[in-house]
Amino acid sequence: MKTSVIGFPRIGRNRELKFASEKFFKGEISEQELLLTAKEMQKFAIETQKNAGIDYISSNDFSFYDNVLDTAFLFNIVPQRYTDLGLSRLQTYFAAARGYQGDNGNVKALPMKKWFNTNYHYIVPEFEDNTKIELSSEKPVSEYLAAKALGADTKVDLIGPFTFLKLTKFTGSKKAEDIAEALTAEYGKLFAELAKVGASKVQIDEPYLVRDLDASDIALFKKIYGILLSEKCGLKILLQTYFGDIRDIYDEVIALDVEAIGLDFVEGRKTLSLLKEKGFPKDKILVAGVVNGKNIWKNDYSKSADILSEIVSVVSSDKIVVGTSCSLLHVPYTLKSETKLPDEYIKHFAFAEEKLIELSDLSDLKEDILAENKALFEKRVDSVDEKVRARVNAIKDEDYTRLPAFDEREAIQKEQLGLPLFPTTTIGSFPQTADVRKNRSDFRKGEITKDQSVKFNQKKIEDCIRLQEEIGLDVLVHGEFERNDMVEYFGEHLSGYVFTEKAWVLSYGTRCVKPPIVWGDVSRKESITVEWSKFAKSVTNKPVKGMLTGPVTILNWSFPREDISIEESVKQIALAIRDEVLDLEANGINIIQIDEAALREKLPLRKSDWYSDYLDFAIPAFRLVHSGVKPQTQIHTHMCYSEFTDIIPAIDSMDADVITFEASRSDLQILDALKENHFKTEVGPGVYDIHSPRVPSVDELVGQLTKIRAKTEDKKLWVNPDCGLKTRGEEETVKSLKNLVEAAKIIRGKV
Ligand code: GLN
Ligand code: ZN
């Protein structure tokens, strides 16, 4: 069998692209120098896959920021406010991605959303009525040619027109249906250009097909592909799907005039049964995604071999290509960069480069390789802790309910905390400046003692508290200087976790996260945040908010186990964080934020699975964390987005006292929905976007707050940025927060 990879990581084994981009943004290197780094990253990806013997390698999977934004620029779908800036093309692209503030104008970035059920974020394209769709980039052609020069005749990877249209926001009167034809025609032009330079294959990614589709979606899809496939220009088309099965549109897809179809056998629960029930056309190639592109565990060869043999009963083996379940973008580069993890652990993992080996192993599975692989799955050291298992089994129904009920607690807390109307606060972290990172890395390398490092952080906390007092915020935070990352930090204090050195995975733009790995049963080894919060509290008379990460987010931003269920893992982590909550409370911290930044992320892509497969255990897990606190203790939670219109009752039943979320980049419809649903939880709809360095003016913030007030009860409204400030610079942060406090004061004056 042949092998195929949907896409490869692009950031660089050592995040070279991130560092080069940051230098470019600061004006320290030229556009030319940035392009050179980009070329190197592409070259590395192509050569690595080529050397591993992969048959079908993608080009054009590279991006400076995001492939959806690339697709928008490819077809000139760029809002006028960005082109009006009169910047170079790359600068215009970055203006749309990151916002722009400078000599040429002042515009916010386009909004960002999670890419399906991953922790990667794409930029939401915006279509204005006067947008002229027009093929206007050489990127796919030049990346194809660059790969060709390296000896790889790649399939050119494109986000498909259906998925692109479904993800685009239409700001005027035109809709996806109105522009489908024009857009598809430009794909056709691109095909012609690719054919002209000798390309023979394209991979069209249509992950949107794994979602629930209605009749109008199916009609749109058919319309698009009717046109698209009449303009193939001799190219062979691989229609690639991933992140699930395509049960709503399987018949239509297999009827298409394409050469190959890619299906996901890892997350696609029904893929195999669809294939068996409905068959597969004899003349087409099936790219079978059996190597998980999202998790880091070694592939279970017996399982994959079983799947492949079932596939063989439907599709002849010369028509089967062994593939990844999705792009390898969602896993780190290589285990070769891990120098500290003992081999006992390492041998159970496979990152992107190791997954290439798995593909080739599976394409022609040898007995000895299979036997060796089987042995791995028989036993893992240190993965079971009987005490943890017993504690989970002993959880009672009442452990999921906090008493007294919300209204009663709300009154008690108002009285106890004595906060002004529209209390101001932040989401937790303050800028992680170079000295903060240096302190952590010096300690890690053993260059300073624990005591020195703690002293440094205490000084930072004290400065941060003084700063917040000076700015005039009402509920203070300690600033999170001790944390590298909101999940890894917790993982480090929990048993059952293992860590990597370089296992970076792209989150948005060129920013990466380094998810820890849940290796075994989880429990709290020691107190995690108590000393920091206690210290912060000791240097101020103002309330200090403790800062924790919730169990669902901890798990969603870790690489999860595959040997026990997610539900079981979440319960274990919830009990561990519950211990920390009670510890904070016992130490006098009476406002505690439990971040569930990633709660929505693992919501199944199909609505019908939302509750049964996820919310029915995720929401109770959150309640399990805080149900033990006193009524006086105020529980906050935070989410990095505002798209929960469709799960408002679930969010409300987390039963937090306050929730802060993102509302600055998107419109405020969420607030209408909260009202309609009689949302009881107090809300802090973030009033400015922290993903951009732009400083919001007092006027702008007053305007935003006025709009918010019109839709929210005054007594339930908090004022805060839309997320943590750790990625921001100090200067812009101070200015922004001062404006925020000033705006809150102005609004108070209007009541
Ligand atoms: N408390 C975290 C912070 O401020 C929350 C981050 C997040 O929501 N992603 O950094
Ligand atoms: Zn956030």
Side-chain angles (χ1 to χ4, degrees):
M1 287 176 195
K2 295 204 160 158
T3 52
S4 174
V5 172
I6 295 179
F8 203 74
R10 58 181 180 240
I11 195 77
R13 265 188 176 183
N14 295 305
R15 291 181 295 158
E16 292 84 344
L17 185 64
K18 170 192 160 74
F19 298 117
S21 306
E22 282 167 0
K23 282 194 189 134
F24 174 69
F25 297 147
K26 285 193 213 133
E28 290 168 15
I29 62 168
S30 67
E31 200 164 306
Q32 227 33 51
E33 285 169 283
L34 178 61
L35 292 178
L36 276 180
T37 305
K39 287 235 169 336
E40 269 169 45
M41 298 304 102
Q42 292 163 43
K43 179 165 178 249
F44 180 81
I46 298 291
E47 284 182 340
T48 307
Q49 294 175 85
K50 198 169 155 263
N51 294 340
I54 299 300
D55 299 297
Y56 301 111
I57 301 172
S58 287
S59 57
N60 197 41
D61 52 347
F62 176 80
S63 178
F64 278 106
Y65 207 91
D66 167 49
N67 306 92
V68 179
L69 187 63
D70 294 342
T71 312
F73 271 71
L74 177 60
F75 297 115
N76 193 39
I77 301 178
V78 183
Q80 199 177 336
R81 58 185 183 281
Y82 301 111
T83 49
D84 278 352
L85 293 169
L87 302 167
S88 78
R89 196 171 160 84
L90 188 65
Q91 293 279 17
T92 310
Y93 173 86
F94 283 131
R98 311 173 64 239
Y100 177 89
Q101 185 170 31
D103 297 343
N104 296 28
N106 186 349
V107 279
K108 284 196 210 174
L110 285 171
M112 233 168 11
K113 278 191 187 165
K114 291 199 188 277
W115 177 242
F116 296 85
N117 51 0
T118 70
N119 185 30
Y120 174 73
H121 301 69
Y122 70 95
I123 301 277
V124 182
E126 224 176 82
F127 191 93
E128 298 169 334
D129 277 351
N130 63 355
T131 302
K132 181 157 172 8
I133 305 173
E134 192 165 42
L135 178 63
S136 41
S137 159
E138 288 289 301
K139 181 178 182 292
V141 170
S142 63
E143 289 182 23
Y144 168 78
L145 289 173
K148 188 85 183 271
L150 298 166
D153 183 18
T154 52
K155 53 185 161 76
V156 180
D157 181 15
L158 300 169
I159 291 184
F162 177 70
T163 296
F164 181 78
L165 285 174
K166 294 302 290 180
L167 300 181
T168 295
K169 182 174 167 199
F170 290 83
T171 59
S173 60
K174 289 193 187 154
K175 298 268 160 303
E177 288 71 16
D178 305 323
I179 67 160
E181 225 162 294
L183 177 65
T184 311
E186 297 305 304
Y187 273 82
K189 280 193 199 147
L190 175 60
F191 289 172
E193 306 252 307
L194 288 168
K196 215 161 61 192
V197 298
S200 58
K201 303 177 280 298
V202 286
Q203 169 186 308
I204 305 190
D205 290 7
E206 291 286 15
Y208 207 92
L209 297 180
V210 310
R211 306 198 70 130
D212 291 322
L213 302 176
D214 61 22
S216 69
D217 293 323
I218 295 175
L220 177 64
F221 177 81
K222 284 169 83 169
K223 174 173 167 179
I224 289 172
Y225 278 82
I227 306 169
L228 191 71
L229 299 177
S230 67
E231 316 209 359
K232 288 202 286 190
C233 304
L235 295 174
K236 292 197 172 119
I237 308 265
L238 159 60
L239 185 90
Q240 182 66 57
T241 66
Y242 40 86
F243 301 144
D245 62 65
I246 57 167
R247 68 187 85 151
D248 292 342
I249 199 161
Y250 186 84
D251 294 326
E252 288 79 0
V253 167
I254 59 169
L256 292 176
D257 176 24
V258 295
E259 282 62 30
I261 296 170
L263 301 177
D264 175 357
F265 289 83
V266 173
E267 284 191 280
R269 249 198 287 167
K270 296 210 169 155
T271 304
L272 196 56
S273 58
L274 284 166
L275 193 73
K276 287 171 138 182
E277 279 160 31
K278 295 173 177 278
F280 192 81
K282 294 215 164 5
D283 59 330
K284 295 194 195 342
I285 288 173
L286 171 66
V287 180
V290 292
V291 169
N292 193 339
K294 277 188 182 169
N295 213 345
I296 45 66
W297 298 94
K298 255 238 162 95
N299 188 275
D300 184 340
Y301 286 176
S302 339
K303 251 198 207 160
S304 297
D306 286 349
I307 296 174
L308 288 169
S309 70
E310 297 217 45
I311 297 174
V312 171
S313 68
V314 185
V315 184
S316 79
S317 57
D318 62 323
K319 294 276 184 201
I320 302 172
V321 171
V322 187
T324 53
S325 67
C326 61
S327 168
L328 296 177
L329 179 73
H330 309 292
V331 289
Y333 271 81
T334 178
L335 287 164
K336 291 189 202 99
S337 306
E338 302 303 322
T339 59
K340 296 202 178 113
L341 267 177
D343 187 53
E344 267 175 340
Y345 295 88
I346 287 282
K347 67 184 184 194
H348 293 274
F349 303 138
F351 294 174
E353 295 181 31
E354 291 76 28
K355 284 177 193 280
L356 302 177
I357 304 171
E358 296 189 333
L359 288 169
S360 83
D361 281 354
L362 286 167
S363 70
D364 179 17
L365 196 52
K366 303 273 190 300
E367 274 310 316
D368 55 332
I369 303 241
L370 177 62
E372 195 187 317
N373 180 275
K374 257 190 191 149
L376 272 180
F377 287 84
E378 268 145 31
K379 194 171 162 12
R380 280 199 291 125
V381 289
D382 301 337
S383 61
V384 178
D385 179 338
E386 293 303 343
K387 269 202 245 134
V388 173
R389 301 266 160 126
R391 200 172 163 205
V392 168
N393 286 334
I395 300 172
K396 296 187 292 296
D397 282 351
E398 53 266 38
D399 296 334
Y400 291 108
T401 310
R402 182 172 174 201
L403 291 173
F406 181 89
D407 291 343
E408 199 176 319
R409 285 175 352 233
E410 193 180 30
I412 295 172
Q413 290 162 18
K414 286 240 185 283
E415 166 98 36
Q416 160 103 6
L417 296 169
L419 295 169
L421 196 58
F422 313 127
T424 53
T425 191
T426 62
I427 307 303
S429 58
F430 267 69
Q432 293 253 335
T433 41
D435 56 333
V436 173
R437 288 196 304 270
K438 184 170 187 313
N439 174 59
R440 278 201 313 268
S441 80
D442 285 354
F443 175 57
R444 213 177 39 239
K445 290 185 210 138
E447 284 164 15
I448 55 172
T449 64
K450 176 154 191 201
D451 194 50
Q452 282 171 309
S453 159
V454 168
K455 287 259 151 57
F456 173 91
N457 279 334
Q458 287 181 338
K459 171 84 174 55
K460 274 281 163 187
I461 291 174
E462 194 163 354
D463 291 350
C464 184
I465 292 280
R466 291 286 98 79
L467 177 67
Q468 294 172 81
E469 287 175 341
E470 186 198 310
I471 291 171
L473 288 156
D474 299 307
V475 173
L476 314 191
V477 294
H478 75 283
E480 301 182 23
F481 304 108
E482 74 286 1
R483 298 182 197 179
N484 36 7
D485 170 274
M486 65 187 284
V487 168
E488 187 172 44
Y489 182 74
F490 283 82
E492 276 165 4
H493 293 80
L494 298 172
S495 61
Y497 263 91
V498 300
F499 301 92
T500 58
E501 287 159 81
K502 295 255 172 84
W504 297 101
V505 179
L506 206 55
S507 171
Y508 73 93
T510 54
R511 292 206 191 264
C512 296
V513 290
K514 189 153 65 69
I517 300 170
V518 191
W519 173 265
D521 292 340
V522 174
S523 61
R524 190 179 80 139
K525 279 196 290 209
E526 61 224 351
S527 78
I528 307 171
T529 62
V530 177
E531 287 311 313
W532 303 120
S533 290
K534 252 170 67 182
F535 178 81
K537 197 177 157 63
S538 74
V539 294
T540 181
N541 294 322
K542 287 208 156 182
V544 172
K545 175 161 73 166
M547 197 57 61
L548 305 176
T549 305
V552 183
T553 297
I554 292 186
L555 191 64
N556 285 353
W557 282 349
S558 304
F559 289 113
R561 289 167 79 168
E562 291 181 345
D563 62 330
I564 65 170
S565 70
I566 298 286
E567 176 171 1
E568 181 82 7
S569 269
V570 165
K571 278 187 194 163
Q572 295 181 356
I573 301 170
L575 289 173
I577 302 300
R578 180 185 168 98
D579 293 346
E580 181 72 9
V581 166
L582 294 173
D583 205 351
L584 280 171
E585 184 184 56
N587 279 283
I589 308 297
N590 57 358
I591 305 181
I592 302 169
Q593 179 171 313
I594 306 159
D595 290 325
E596 281 294 14
L599 186 112
R600 206 199 146 88
E601 202 165 284
K602 291 285 150 71
L603 203 57
L605 291 173
R606 290 177 187 277
K607 244 184 171 153
S608 44
D609 300 336
W610 280 4
Y611 282 85
S612 55
D613 283 11
Y614 182 68
L615 291 171
D616 286 348
F617 68 79
I619 302 294
F622 184 86
R623 290 202 304 265
L624 181 61
V625 173
H626 70 90
S627 63
V629 300
K630 298 189 207 108
Q632 289 81 357
T633 300
Q634 188 172 63
I635 298 293
H636 290 219
T637 189
H638 164 70
M639 287 176 192
C640 295
Y641 45 83
S642 61
E643 284 139 49
F644 49 83
T645 316
D646 39 13
I647 50 166
I648 288 173
I651 302 291
D652 220 13
S653 71
M654 291 165 78
D655 205 20
D657 298 304
V658 181
I659 175 168
T660 55
F661 54 89
E662 181 269 330
S664 59
R665 276 192 172 202
S666 29
D667 50 39
L668 297 173
Q669 272 167 18
I670 178 74
L671 298 176
D672 296 320
L674 293 180
K675 200 175 198 173
E676 277 159 32
N677 283 275
H678 308 288
F679 197 68
K680 66 177 195 308
T681 315
E682 295 186 7
V683 293
V687 292
Y688 76 87
D689 174 17
I690 64 87
H691 301 88
S692 156
R694 197 177 153 271
V695 175
S697 69
V698 176
D699 276 356
E700 182 183 329
L701 292 168
V702 169
Q704 184 76 355
L705 278 167
T706 308
K707 278 194 246 158
I708 292 173
R709 252 191 87 197
K711 294 166 180 275
T712 319
E713 264 181 279
D714 283 354
K715 69 161 194 183
K716 291 206 185 268
L717 184 58
W718 287 67
V719 179
N720 47 266
D722 70 351
C723 195
L725 301 163
K726 74 184 225 191
T727 57
R728 292 276 59 93
E730 255 168 350
E731 199 186 313
E732 72 224 27
T733 297
V734 174
K735 283 188 189 154
S736 300
L737 290 177
K738 281 191 173 156
N739 290 354
L740 176 142
V741 168
E742 183 58 29
K745 284 187 185 149
I746 292 174
I747 293 289
R748 277 172 206 151
K750 291 189 177 170
V751 175

